Amino acid sequence: MATTEVERRRGQLAALSIAAVVIIVGVPLWWRTTETYRAWLPVSQIKELAKLQLHLSADVEVVFARGTVTPEQQKKVPLTQTQNMEHRVDEDTALSYRYETRYRTATIMEEDALNQPTAAEADLSLHTLSESPSGSLVVYVIPESSSLLPQNVDVYIGQRRTALLRIGSQMRVGKTLEQLLAHMEPRIKQVLHVMSFSHTDITAALSNRVRISPGNKESIADSMRAFKSSPGYEITFSLLNPDPKSHRLHWDIEGAVETYIQPLLTKLSPVANFSIDSQTLYYAMLGVNPRFDSSRSTYTLNADSLAHVINPVEARLGSNAASSNPVLNFLLYIPDAHHSPLYIHDHKKQQVPTNAFHSPRWGGIMIIRQCWVYNVNEFYEVDTVFPVDINIDMAKVMGVFLAQLRLLLGVQSSTPPPGFLVAPCGNAGLADWELDRLMWSRSVENIATATTTITSLAQLLDQIGNIVINDNIAQQVSSAVTSLQLAVSELEAGNLGFALQYSKEAILSSERAFFDPSLLHLLYFPDDQKFAIYIPLFLPMCVPILLSLLKIVSEARQKHREKKPKKD
Amino acid sequence: YVRGIFKNLHGWFINCLRYLFCCFQDRAGQFFSSGHTNNWAVLVCTSRFWFNYRHVANTLSVYRSVKRLGIPDSHIVLMLADDMACNHRNPKPATVFSHKNMELNVYGDDVEVDYRGYEVTVENFLRILTGRLPPSTPRSKRLLSDDRSNILIYLTGHGGNGFLKFQDSEEISNVELADAFEQMWQKRRYNELLFIIDTCQGASMYERFYSPNLMALASSQVGEDSLSHQPDLAIGVHLMDRYTFYLLEFLEDIHPASKTNMNDLFKVCPKSQCVSTPGHRTDLFLRDPGSVLITDFFGSVRKVELTMETINLTDPIEQLESAESGELQKEMHTYADQLPVSEIIHQKPKQKDWHPPDGFILGLWTLILLVFFQTYGVKHLKHIF
């Protein structure tokens, strides 16, 4: 009797101990060994960044030259004014613009500079006096009597960051400073709209984040044409020679790139890296047949047929296989002897002066004009010895390519308001204020893209509990968040260069984190498959344990019930 | 009499003006009607083995059409098992035919397969779509689309309700595909996406899509099988699937300047020809399908603007010879080691995930049962049960 009791107790103890081992040791061990490694992410900071609040500030200095302010008005100058404008783009994005305007009178050296004969020279000498930092503007107010500007022009926008504004003489007679400033304000607003950031540009830069209904057709075309912000671009210059038997082409591409293109790219180096290469393609046809225009005895290409030119050529162009940067292709086509000279006609059947066209986000194609080529006659004589040597005037060619490059990179030259005269952009191909505008929109675009990337990555990692988050991804995310916070604060402070640099770092880290190849494992692990894996492992083991525990419990209850009547 | 002529001329003039105005509007409208600037195509054949000849022929036919309509190879990602053309059972090596009597060789001379053989896996397909490729992947194997790209995705193979079989060893589910498209949308990797699938029960694959700007076509509904078109007695296998055969006939009539729209594509291969019922899904697409041109997805019609400005450059070109000093600097170049052997042999082995050894679970059960039996004997089993 006692042995069965001992046996039974031993059995119960065995079952209980096995159950204890399974629950206390086994279950935590299984949990630890099957959990996915997820490094810590700064989720709260990411949530803060999801609500993007961008503050952009610009410093404007308005300098009154002699003859623009009366002595009583002059007493109140120097003066500083701040203007704030808030815009709410959507529920997650808000913009606020701040213009800090400082008014002062001109120094003697500046007065001397303003006495130059032409506006361009005045601009140059003003620049030698002081260099304004990135993002700021200086507006020089000159009296009506000044001869710097032609008759119908009120504002001259220089190549650096200065503008010359001419006010009418009747504005300053008998008016206080406040009235003068109020009178000048619309003009200064227009100058700011042209030379500094504008609401349309900034909202266009936010297009990645906010789906804005497009305003007008021009803005749609602008947003489709320019390349998106990227850390690097590749530029390829190609010379297409369909007829090597007739033409032997010489183009000094290295020298031309060094002299004409490289200054622009060096100036744009804070924005992106550029790599340039060039090639010559022989027997590359255009793919469309030009028509002979007997009235002008030239061959013509209609604007409608231009869209079909690019595809056959693109297959032969090739690209640098090493990087994934966007490629800008610039092609120069020399028509063959039978179709020479070849001109492009627009919709109104007029010759296009540049003889070139470009395709949004792809590049540009130019057909050489006879006048830009040395050493060839308009018509070939009967006894010409083929192949004919042709030297290409690279200055004209590069002028067109530079204009196309500016358009494709997003340096928009929208028509200025009436009464404005914009100086030509000079040999670097880019005015300082155009660079500032590009930097503003690029910074905003980078910040918007990086915040969207980080937010969607955090959401994705949150939703799919199975993805492994390695340490390097967590580190990239943290550094992206830090860079974003720094970029937003630098933008608020008005340090454009630093803001752009931090925003570029933020983009790099966020893209590296989002596109990390390791974020694909265990992406989709449905629950029914999990059950299907674990049930054959654990169910046979758990059934005896559970049953024995149930037996113990029922025996204990029975004993308890037996005890009770005994007690009574 | 003169007045009559004048009236005629006047009317003719007004008509001319109206026509010109419409033309101009059309051209300007065409620029803005679709928001894309470039086109990409991802064409995937998910089967291998000789008896799945028709899937390879399907994919290659679509590849040919897409190339003919203008999309260059650099913008096409073609995934094929590519074991047909040089298969031992192919009576005409280096060819893949799509019409019986060997009329049309779709393999051709210039096919560029980006992922071939065992590289066609679910993982690689998802990596292409989401962009999570290792940094060493060359440009031709990547989908480098941006927010203004229209992408055409064509899948063919064997499928079922909610999944598609890849190379007889793995499957992709419709949930995974929908999530991949959502990740593409989050990173704005497409402007509009057209998804065509030619498998059995193909409509189940687009049921779960939830991202905007997706249009989907399938060759059969859930519960139906997609059938093949015609066998060739010389080659011995079926050459094409019905849906793709009629799709191809439809595409042969399209040229780069044609104005056919998507509503015509939805009518391709009705039940009388296809036996199965093709389906489509357009509720996620923002534009009206009647205004979407076929060439928006299958071709590559570039938008073009005339360049009106030029920059006046006046500096002469610097002569580079003068920049260099007299003697050339000699640099020592060494041959780059393609395979750093010394690094490899001294590398620590990569830590693989630990898996329990085979038969572990069976062994574990046996051990537990053995322990019980040994301790308590068989007759005491009733204490436990």
Side-chain angles (χ1 to χ4, degrees):
Chain A
M1 210 32 196
T3 44
T4 49
E5 187 64 37
V6 166
E7 291 281 336
R8 215 184 63 197
R9 282 212 78 83
R10 236 193 244 161
Q12 282 179 349
L13 214 61
L16 277 172
S17 58
I18 288 182
V21 163
V22 163
I23 294 175
I24 296 173
V25 176
V27 168
L29 192 67
W30 163 71
W31 191 260
R32 289 287 298 183
T33 49
T34 56
E35 76 175 357
T36 49
Y37 179 71
R38 294 170 74 96
W40 177 83
L41 289 178
V43 181
S44 54
Q45 288 177 348
I46 296 175
K47 277 208 179 56
E48 272 177 30
L49 280 172
K51 302 244 173 244
L52 191 61
Q53 281 257 341
L54 279 178
H55 306 272
L56 280 83
S57 68
D59 284 330
V60 184
E61 208 176 322
V62 179
V63 181
F64 291 104
R66 188 177 23 199
T68 48
V69 281
T70 60
E72 319 76 76
Q73 291 168 337
Q74 205 162 351
K75 279 190 216 132
K76 298 201 195 141
V77 170
L79 169 69
T80 310
Q81 268 182 355
T82 315
Q83 242 182 352
N84 275 323
M85 279 192 290
E86 308 260 339
H87 289 274
R88 176 146 281 270
V89 182
D90 70 354
E91 68 245 6
D92 283 330
T93 323
L95 295 167
S96 85
Y97 304 125
R98 197 182 76 201
Y99 298 103
E100 207 169 284
T101 323
R102 277 186 303 137
Y103 298 93
R104 65 175 176 84
T105 48
T107 63
I108 303 198
M109 290 185 288
E110 286 171 344
E111 292 286 349
D112 280 338
L114 286 170
N115 277 334
Q116 302 278 334
T118 62
E121 291 174 29
D123 190 35
L124 192 58
S125 41
L126 281 171
H127 172 71
T128 51
L129 285 178
S130 65
E131 176 126 7
S132 356
S134 250
S136 64
L137 283 181
V138 187
V139 180
Y140 287 94
V141 185
I142 52 178
E144 190 171 13
S145 52
S146 162
S147 57
L148 278 180
L149 305 176
Q151 271 297 80
N152 52 347
V153 171
D154 286 334
V155 182
Y156 174 81
I157 298 186
Q159 285 179 3
R160 321 287 179 190
R161 299 185 174 96
T162 53
L164 301 174
L165 170 65
R166 178 164 64 186
I167 58 170
S169 58
Q170 68 273 21
M171 293 184 206
R172 63 177 177 87
V173 168
K175 291 198 176 174
T176 63
L177 185 64
E178 285 76 28
Q179 284 173 319
L180 175 66
L181 293 183
H183 200 96
M184 277 194 338
E185 193 176 310
R187 274 296 185 198
I188 300 220
K189 252 201 168 64
Q190 279 179 332
V191 170
L192 279 175
H193 199 267
V194 172
M195 286 180 79
S196 180
F197 52 82
S198 65
H199 186 59
T200 40
D201 285 345
I202 301 293
T203 41
L206 286 172
S207 65
N208 246 357
R209 196 185 154 82
V210 178
R211 275 276 136 168
I212 314 169
S213 53
N216 55 344
K217 293 215 160 135
E218 261 187 39
S219 59
I220 305 178
D222 283 344
S223 70
M224 275 170 62
R225 183 192 307 128
F227 277 89
K228 284 263 154 208
S229 166
S230 162
Y233 297 95
E234 289 180 29
I235 301 180
T236 307
F237 292 100
S238 309
L239 178 65
L240 301 179
N241 186 0
D243 200 5
K245 285 201 288 282
S246 315
H247 300 139
R248 197 185 301 148
L249 302 174
H250 301 278
W251 70 335
D252 185 12
I253 185 66
E254 280 191 46
V257 162
E258 191 59 42
T259 318
Y260 301 126
I261 306 285
Q262 195 56 47
L264 171 66
L265 301 181
T266 318
K267 202 159 180 184
L268 282 175
S269 52
V271 177
N273 296 326
F274 292 90
S275 77
I276 309 182
D277 40 34
S278 62
Q279 61 180 344
T280 314
L281 285 177
Y282 294 104
Y283 294 105
M285 307 291 173
L286 267 189
V288 284
N289 280 328
R291 273 199 240 124
F292 187 69
D293 185 1
S294 44
S295 61
R296 286 175 250 215
S297 338
T298 58
Y299 286 88
T300 64
L301 267 184
N302 210 0
D304 290 330
S305 54
L306 292 176
H308 305 290
V309 166
I310 297 181
N311 283 328
V313 174
E314 187 174 7
R316 299 191 52 188
L317 282 180
S319 62
N320 187 2
S323 76
S324 326
N325 287 333
V327 179
L328 287 87
N329 292 300
F330 293 103
L331 276 62
L332 177 62
Y333 182 75
I334 315 292
D336 50 327
H338 297 290
H339 290 116
S340 231
L342 181 60
Y343 293 105
I344 301 178
H345 283 189
D346 62 10
H347 300 295
K348 305 193 196 88
K349 304 284 186 225
Q350 297 296 316
Q351 266 188 17
V352 177
T354 57
N355 223 20
F357 60 99
H358 58 271
S359 180
R361 299 214 184 164
W362 184 79
I365 300 187
M366 189 171 125
I367 303 180
I368 194 79
R369 300 184 70 111
Q370 292 302 117
C371 45
W372 294 348
V373 159
Y374 309 123
N375 209 13
V376 79
N377 302 320
E378 189 87 356
F379 301 103
Y380 294 110
E381 278 120 35
V382 177
D383 55 348
T384 321
V385 174
F386 286 117
V388 177
D389 277 308
I390 296 187
N391 287 317
I392 299 175
D393 182 1
M394 295 305 290
K396 297 284 193 320
V397 168
M398 283 301 169
V400 177
F401 280 157
L402 210 56
Q404 289 178 337
L405 182 62
R406 276 166 52 103
L407 281 173
L408 289 171
L409 285 175
V411 181
Q412 283 123 3
S413 38
S414 47
T415 38
F420 274 58
L421 177 66
V422 181
C425 48
N427 281 338
L430 193 68
D432 282 0
W433 54 271
E434 285 176 329
L435 178 65
D436 284 349
R437 279 179 67 115
L438 196 61
M439 283 167 80
W440 285 118
S441 55
R442 282 294 160 101
S443 308
V444 172
E445 189 180 340
N446 286 347
I447 291 176
T449 316
T451 47
T452 323
T453 309
I454 288 287
T455 321
S456 64
L457 179 65
Q459 208 177 10
L460 171 79
L461 294 175
D462 197 39
Q463 259 175 354
I464 303 179
N466 282 321
I467 288 191
V468 178
I469 307 179
N470 285 328
D471 280 330
N472 64 330
I473 298 179
Q475 192 211 355
Q476 296 287 347
V477 170
S478 304
S479 77
V481 167
T482 326
S483 305
L484 272 173
Q485 287 168 337
L486 280 169
V488 171
S489 60
E490 291 289 349
L491 210 57
E492 189 172 347
N495 299 330
L496 193 51
F498 284 120
L500 184 65
Q501 193 190 330
Y502 284 129
S503 69
K504 277 193 344 188
E505 282 171 27
I507 278 254
L508 272 173
S509 313
S510 60
E511 301 265 314
R512 220 175 280 153
F514 192 91
F515 289 121
D516 193 277
S518 74
L519 282 180
L520 209 69
H521 296 149
L522 298 177
L523 195 64
Y524 176 59
F525 206 173
D527 286 328
D528 48 347
Q529 288 187 13
K530 269 192 227 165
F531 280 125
I533 293 175
Y534 284 132
I535 283 179
L537 290 181
F538 290 128
L539 196 61
M541 198 164 64
C542 287
V543 163
I545 298 174
L546 271 170
L547 284 175
S548 55
L549 283 176
L550 279 173
K551 198 155 190 280
I552 293 172
V553 164
S554 67
E555 277 182 6
R557 208 183 282 168
Q558 211 172 14
K559 214 188 271 179
H560 190 76
R561 223 176 286 139
E562 279 170 14
K563 264 194 193 166
K564 260 195 138 176
K566 269 193 191 162
K567 271 193 176 168
D568 293 341
Chain B
Y1 175 77
V2 171
R3 209 174 282 167
I5 291 183
F6 185 70
K7 240 195 207 153
N8 269 343
L9 273 178
H10 188 66
W12 173 82
F13 190 61
I14 295 291
N15 275 336
C16 240
L17 271 183
R18 206 174 290 150
Y19 169 78
L20 274 174
F21 181 69
C22 286
C23 263
F24 190 68
Q25 280 285 72
D26 267 336
R27 259 179 247 122
Q30 209 240 329
F31 193 105
F32 302 112
S33 63
S34 70
H36 75 285
T37 59
N38 53 28
N39 285 78
W40 284 81
V42 179
L43 310 172
V44 183
C45 164
T46 61
S47 320
R48 58 187 303 116
F49 307 130
W50 175 247
F51 50 82
N52 290 321
Y53 189 101
R54 57 188 187 281
H55 297 140
V56 174
N58 286 350
T59 319
L60 283 173
S61 317
V62 177
Y63 172 75
R64 261 180 48 96
S65 303
V66 150
K67 259 177 83 158
R68 180 180 59 86
L69 288 171
I71 304 188
D73 271 314
S74 53
H75 284 230
I76 302 179
V77 178
L78 181 61
M79 300 175 74
L80 290 179
D82 206 12
D83 54 352
M84 299 300 159
C86 299
N87 199 305
H88 300 298
R89 295 159 79 169
N90 193 349
K92 290 253 175 179
T95 59
V96 174
F97 292 108
S98 67
H99 281 62
K100 68 173 183 220
N101 300 326
M102 303 190 192
E103 277 169 19
L104 185 59
N105 173 20
V106 288
Y107 202 62
D109 294 332
D110 59 347
V111 63
E112 190 184 293
V113 181
D114 298 304
Y115 287 83
R116 58 159 38 95
Y118 289 108
E119 290 173 346
V120 181
T121 58
V122 173
E123 182 184 337
N124 279 347
F125 179 57
L126 288 178
R127 281 193 193 280
I128 292 173
L129 287 183
T130 53
R132 296 205 170 101
L133 289 158
S136 59
T137 318
R139 217 182 159 105
S140 58
K141 281 187 163 183
R142 286 183 190 256
L143 180 63
L144 294 169
S145 55
D146 55 26
D147 64 323
R148 294 268 174 206
S149 306
N150 277 7
I151 308 183
L152 165 74
I153 299 189
Y154 176 82
L155 294 174
T156 182
H158 290 290
N161 189 357
F163 67 92
L164 174 61
K165 189 170 72 161
F166 262 71
Q167 301 222 332
D168 246 358
S169 62
E170 46 181 10
E171 0 173 285
I172 184 172
S173 64
N174 49 4
V175 179
E176 274 179 305
L177 198 56
D179 283 340
F181 285 155
E182 173 64 15
Q183 289 191 50
M184 285 177 81
W185 175 250
Q186 289 283 330
K187 268 313 264 172
R188 302 287 185 267
R189 276 164 68 78
Y190 67 89
N191 178 38
E192 286 167 354
L193 203 144
L194 177 63
F195 176 77
I196 303 183
I197 183 161
D198 187 354
T199 64
C200 305
Q201 308 194 51
S204 63
M205 287 304 283
Y206 61 65
E207 272 173 4
R208 300 289 195 112
F209 289 171
Y210 56 95
S211 318
N213 272 344
L214 293 176
M215 197 191 298
L217 282 104
S219 61
S220 55
Q221 302 290 336
V222 174
E224 287 178 350
D225 288 335
S226 281
L227 300 177
S228 58
H229 184 68
Q230 39 175 218
D232 180 296
L233 296 172
I235 299 180
V237 284
H238 286 262
L239 292 183
M240 282 271 271
D241 277 331
R242 283 178 191 243
Y243 182 74
T244 312
F245 184 81
Y246 290 109
L247 177 69
L248 217 64
E249 263 188 19
F250 174 77
L251 286 177
E252 287 291 314
D253 290 332
I254 310 282
H255 55 91
S258 76
K259 298 269 172 261
T260 342
N261 58 32
M262 279 294 163
N263 282 333
D264 301 320
L265 189 61
F266 295 154
K267 295 196 201 104
V268 161
C269 203
K271 196 172 166 97
S272 53
Q273 283 172 334
C274 250
V275 183
S276 58
T277 322
H280 58 265
R281 180 177 177 178
T282 54
D283 57 318
L284 293 166
F285 204 73
L286 290 176
R287 284 195 289 154
D288 171 42
S291 68
V292 179
L293 300 176
I294 301 283
T295 50
D296 279 352
F297 287 103
F298 283 92
S300 174
V301 181
R302 297 282 185 172
K303 298 183 170 37
V304 155
E305 284 179 312
L306 295 167
T307 312
M308 289 306 180
E309 300 169 353
T310 177
I311 295 184
N312 203 7
L313 295 168
T314 46
D315 289 345
I317 296 183
E318 315 167 348
Q319 295 306 313
L320 286 177
E321 287 83 57
S322 58
E324 286 177 16
S325 53
E327 45 182 69
L328 297 165
Q329 288 178 323
K330 291 203 177 62
E331 283 178 31
M332 282 300 296
H333 293 280
T334 53
Y335 184 66
D337 234 350
Q338 298 296 320
L339 205 61
V341 176
S342 50
E343 278 181 38
I344 292 177
I345 56 180
H346 290 127
Q347 223 176 30
K348 289 200 186 62
K350 201 170 65 159
Q351 280 188 327
K352 288 204 292 218
D353 296 329
W354 180 79
H355 295 287
D358 295 331
F360 171 71
I361 304 303
L362 271 174
L364 193 61
W365 296 357
T366 323
L367 185 66
I368 293 173
L369 289 172
L370 267 177
V371 165
F372 267 122
F373 287 152
Q374 204 194 6
T375 320
Y376 297 107
V378 183
K379 60 178 181 358
H380 287 278
L381 222 51
K382 62 179 191 318
H383 287 286
I384 310 293
F385 288 101

